[in-house]
């Protein structure tokens, strides 16, 4: 069995499962946000249910339109707040709330071998701690809140084996953009993407989160990296009481396909509009003029992302034609960035710092694009109109490329700055 | 069950931002959501479609964000079914869960904008009345049929609870 199948079988009370089989699995954590929870709560209340299966295992994170951008968003967050007060489920208030997929791992709520479902497509992020974690819709979440279970079709998997030496400025974002460029946006549809190899074994947690976060952009059900020493060290800091879990090593024959990727030829990547799979060497796009740079999101808003951006922006000035928005993903990351002097670096360079929010990534608020404008963003989607006007353009990259491009006023390889 | 309507054609990799942009997600009202359905490609789509019409698209329909508002907005327009070469998995789950019929049809690209279609769900066929062709589609596995026949996921859960 693949790692994902082993976790599913544990949660389905079965010795083994096979790809294509339908199972009912118990869940360890159920998540929804300010956009998806109101629909789930409506369905929950309509069903007449008097209680949730386990209030400690349900988390509501208002992160998309918060701090509330308008009256109706405020009404939606109120639905979450009231539901939490009535049923005792976890709710993160402003001041404590951060972008869900950075916040929950930091809170120690996502653990190796857990089975996690969330009404947000980027729920696949938690595969980085060795969990089976997948995005669903609001009705699925309503049902899971009542029963503590979800139905699933057991996925087959593609194993991605990364080897070679990473070039300078190449991080998790570049590896996953390159990979999606190879697979296409539906190349892993309904499957697990399991990431391994010497490059992954040496990759820090923040890069692992970035990689698993974007598995959905290849159509995958989940992305996962088997828990190892790096995971255990991380878990000791966020959830010392968490027990370790051991899965059996999976062999290549357990996989539908094994893809070997030599990273030594990979340069910092940029994905051009309007698909995350339109990726290539950042140099290929140098010359594309930008109006805005966004550094943040559930993909790249963690502390090491901010450190990387700051390493480029230190002593530099943002181009006069560019708005550079930096969004620490959680209050804890924000505070750490203050302590380390990163916020000082950003502000000296002429960036503006936003409170933790998904905000501009989905064209919500805090940096929406006008007609004809172009942004480079460390976010995860460059779909038509994703960040604002239908005739606006989003290029995806890692933090160094976004920071360097903010300085030049056009997309560029970070080597141009340092 | 049978349904008849006109085909509205869209391309491949139609994502849920295309179906309903995030700026409209500050409500859960089906009717209001439907007034912005498919706006990226076709302004006032909801006014142009007639009750019973169908969306016909290529591969990977509904990819991207998990927003259930996407199938809800389609349902709110009066669309009777979505026919595509393939569907992204969260969109497929959401549609089955809320009772929006979704049909995987490999010949979807042979259907043209405006063709009149008749879907026979019992027998698993799509008749292109305009083009004079009949296509068969694979019915969903038994487990999903059970949810569909219950009238969606919440009803299926309630039924299961009642029989326990």
């Amino acid at each position: 069995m693949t790692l994902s199948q082993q976790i599913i079988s544990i949660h389905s009370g079965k010795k083994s499962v096979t790809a294509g089989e339908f199972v009912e699995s118990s869940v360890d954590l159920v998540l929804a946000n300010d956009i998806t929870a109101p629909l789930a709560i409506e369905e929950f209340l309509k069903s007449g249910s008097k209680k949730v299966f386990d209030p400690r295992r349900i988390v509501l994170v208002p992160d998309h339109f918060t701090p509330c951008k308008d009256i109706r968003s405020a009404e939606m967050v109120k639905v979450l707040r009231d539901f939490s007060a009535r049923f005792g489920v976890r709710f993160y208030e402003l001041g404590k709330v951060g972008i869900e997929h950075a916040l929950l791992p930091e809170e120690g709520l996502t653990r190796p071998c857990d089975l996690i479902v969330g009404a947000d497509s980027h729920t696949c992020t938690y595969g980085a701690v060795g969990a089976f974690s997948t995005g669903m819709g609001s009705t699925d979440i309503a049902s899971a809140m009542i029963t503590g279970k979800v139905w699933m079709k057991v996925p087959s998997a593609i194993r991605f084996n990364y080897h070679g030496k990473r070039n300078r400025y190449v991080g998790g974002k570049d590896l996953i953009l390159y990979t999606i460029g190879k697979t296409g946006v539906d190349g892993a549809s309904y499957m697990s993407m399991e990431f391994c190899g010497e490059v992954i074994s040496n990759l820090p947690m923040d890069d692992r989160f970035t990689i698993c976060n974007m598995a959905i952009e290849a159509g995958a059900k989940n992305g996962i990296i088997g828990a190892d020493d790096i995971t255990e060290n991380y878990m000791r800091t966020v959830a010392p009481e968490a027990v370790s879990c051991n899965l059996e090593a999976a062999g290549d024959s357990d996989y539908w396909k094994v893809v070997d990727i030599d990273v030594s030829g990979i340069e910092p990547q940029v994905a051009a509009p309007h698909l995350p799979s339109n990726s290539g060497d950042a140099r290929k796009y140098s010359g594309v003029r930008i109006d805005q740079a966004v550094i943040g999101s559930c993909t790249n808003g963690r502390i090491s992302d901010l450190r990387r951006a700051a390493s480029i922006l230190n002593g530099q000035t943002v181009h006069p034609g560019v708005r550079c928005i930096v969004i620490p993903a959680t209050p804890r990351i924000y505070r750490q960035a203050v302590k380390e002097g990163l916020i000082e670096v950003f502000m000296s360079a002429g960036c503006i710092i936003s409170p933790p929010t998904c905000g501009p990534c989905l064209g919500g608020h805090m940096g929406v694009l006008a007609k004809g404008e172009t942004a480079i963003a460390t976010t995860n989607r460059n779909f038509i109109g994703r960040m604002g006007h239908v005739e606006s353009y989003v290029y995806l990259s890692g933090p160094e490329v976004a920071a360097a491009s903010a300085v030049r006023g056009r997309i560029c390889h970070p080597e141009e700055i340092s | 069950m049978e349904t008849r309507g006109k085909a509205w054609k869209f391309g491949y990799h139609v994502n849920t931002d295309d179906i309903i942009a995030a700026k409209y997600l500050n409500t859960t009202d089906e009717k209001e959501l439907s007034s912005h359905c498919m706006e990226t490609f076709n302004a006032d789509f909801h006014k142009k479609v007639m009750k019973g019409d169908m969306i016909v698209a290529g591969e990977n329909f509904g990819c991207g964000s998990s927003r259930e508002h996407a199938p809800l907005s389609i349902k709110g327009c009066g669309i009777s079914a979505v026919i595509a070469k393939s569907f992204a998995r969260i969109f497929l789950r959401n549609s089955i869960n809320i009772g929006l019929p979704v049909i995987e049809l490999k010949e979807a690209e042979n259907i043209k904008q405006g063709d009149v279609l008749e879907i026979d769900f019992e027998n698993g066929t799509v008749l292109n009345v305009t083009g004079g062709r009949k296509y068969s589609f694979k019915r969903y596995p038994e487990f999903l049929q059970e949810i569909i026949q219950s009238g969606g996921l919440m009803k299926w859960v309630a039924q299961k609870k009642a029989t326990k």
Side-chain angles (χ1 to χ4, degrees), chain A residues 168-169 267-268 281-283 286 312 400-401 404-405 408 412-418:
Chain A
R168 196 172 178 204
Y169 306 120
E267 285 295 320
D281 186 333
R283 294 187 196 100
S286 80
I312 300 290
E400 290 99 330
V401 173
S405 306
R408 281 286 180 269
C412 73
H413 191 294
E415 68 193 0
E416 278 195 38
I417 302 295
S418 55

Side-chain angles (χ1 to χ4, degrees), chain A residues 7 16 179 290 395:
Chain A
I7 298 173
S16 73
T179 306
I290 58 160
Y395 289 77

Side-chain angles (χ1 to χ4, degrees), chain A residues 22 24 35 42-43 65 70 72 76 120 134-140 151 185 190 362 381 383 386, chain B residues 13 15 17 22 25-28 32 64-66 68-69 87 89-90 93-94 97 143-144 154 157 160:
Chain A
F22 283 93
E24 227 188 333
I35 288 180
E42 258 175 47
E43 288 299 323
F65 290 153
D70 54 20
R72 297 170 81 180
M76 301 223 315
D120 187 277
T134 186
M136 293 187 172
S138 298
T139 302
D140 275 314
W151 67 265
V185 290
Y190 294 80
L362 70 160
R381 288 188 177 132
F383 297 157
R386 171 77 178 178
Chain B
H13 303 318
N15 63 65
D17 279 79
L25 301 184
N26 56 4
T27 176
T28 57
E32 191 180 341
S65 153
S66 69
E68 203 163 294
H69 312 67
F87 290 92
R89 53 165 283 276
I90 304 178
R93 283 188 82 101
N94 287 344
N97 287 346
F143 178 79
L144 292 187
M154 295 307 279
V157 169
K160 267 188 53 172

Side-chain angles (χ1 to χ4, degrees), chain A residues 229-259:
Chain A
D229 293 347
I230 290 177
T231 325
E232 284 202 7
N233 284 336
Y234 174 78
M235 289 312 299
R236 268 197 287 277
T237 63
V238 296
E241 75 287 5
V243 287
S244 61
C245 95
N246 292 309
L247 298 177
E248 282 171 36
D252 280 355
S253 61
D254 293 316
Y255 293 83
W256 178 71
K257 195 159 92 174
V258 178
V259 178

Side-chain angles (χ1 to χ4, degrees), chain A residues 163-213:
Chain A
H163 56 90
K165 194 178 175 300
R166 271 192 292 145
N167 286 318
R168 196 172 178 204
Y169 306 120
V170 170
K173 183 62 161 290
D174 307 290
L175 297 181
I176 191 64
L177 284 178
Y178 179 87
T179 306
I180 296 166
K182 294 283 161 218
T183 59
V185 290
D186 58 354
S189 275
Y190 294 80
M191 285 187 262
S192 305
M193 291 173 92
E194 302 204 358
F195 306 101
C196 66
E198 56 179 8
V199 175
I200 302 296
S201 302
N202 292 307
L203 208 58
M205 282 309 293
D206 282 1
D207 294 81
R208 295 182 179 193
F209 283 118
T210 304
I211 289 180
C212 291
N213 172 272

